[in-house]
Amino acid sequence: MIAIIGLVAGVLLGLLLKPEVPLYLQPYLPIAIVAALDAMFGGLRARLEGIFDEKVFVVSFLSNTIIAALIVFLGDQLGVGSQLSTGVVVVLGIRIFSNVAAIRRKLFRA
């Protein structure tokens, strides 16, 4: 229940305050969001399988987000940022769909 209250409060604050992402961080935000979604769906899958661990979730969430952003940053420095961004999105997208498929199988037995 606390998580839902926090989510609602965060969304409301975001809508009211309308924060702006600095221009130099804008290329990394979509990648960080996809990495965070990957960790979230992995955590939900682990919860449904009965193997969820809070420490593993937090470390996974932070490391996925930081590593994905660093890969894109490295790509920008090498001049191939868009190609590495696409690669990160593809890999994390495959992981997200894999976790969603496992969640669907667990919930609907299908």
Side-chain angles (χ1 to χ4, degrees):
M1 189 64 180
I2 293 173
I4 294 173
I5 292 170
L7 176 66
V8 170
V11 169
L12 289 176
L13 281 173
L15 292 173
L16 292 174
L17 298 177
K18 297 181 180 158
E20 292 186 26
V21 178
L23 189 60
Y24 64 92
L25 290 178
Q26 287 179 359
Y28 309 109
L29 185 61
I31 301 301
I33 290 172
V34 171
L37 285 172
D38 172 50
M40 184 190 70
F41 283 113
L44 182 57
R45 177 183 181 178
R47 175 65 122 184
L48 291 173
E49 292 175 352
I51 57 172
F52 182 79
D53 182 14
E54 292 88 3
K55 290 180 185 176
V56 172
F57 174 74
V58 170
V59 168
S60 172
F61 187 88
L62 293 175
S63 64
N64 278 3
T65 305
I66 290 169
I67 290 171
L70 285 174
I71 290 171
V72 174
F73 175 75
L74 178 63
D76 284 345
Q77 298 304 309
L78 295 172
V80 292
S82 62
Q83 289 89 346
L84 280 180
S85 294
T86 302
V88 168
V89 168
V90 168
V91 169
L92 292 175
I94 290 169
R95 288 174 42 107
I96 289 170
F97 281 109
S98 173
N99 283 328
V100 169
I103 291 167
R104 177 188 42 82
R105 283 191 301 271
K106 189 76 171 171
L107 288 177
F108 300 115
R109 315 258 191 271

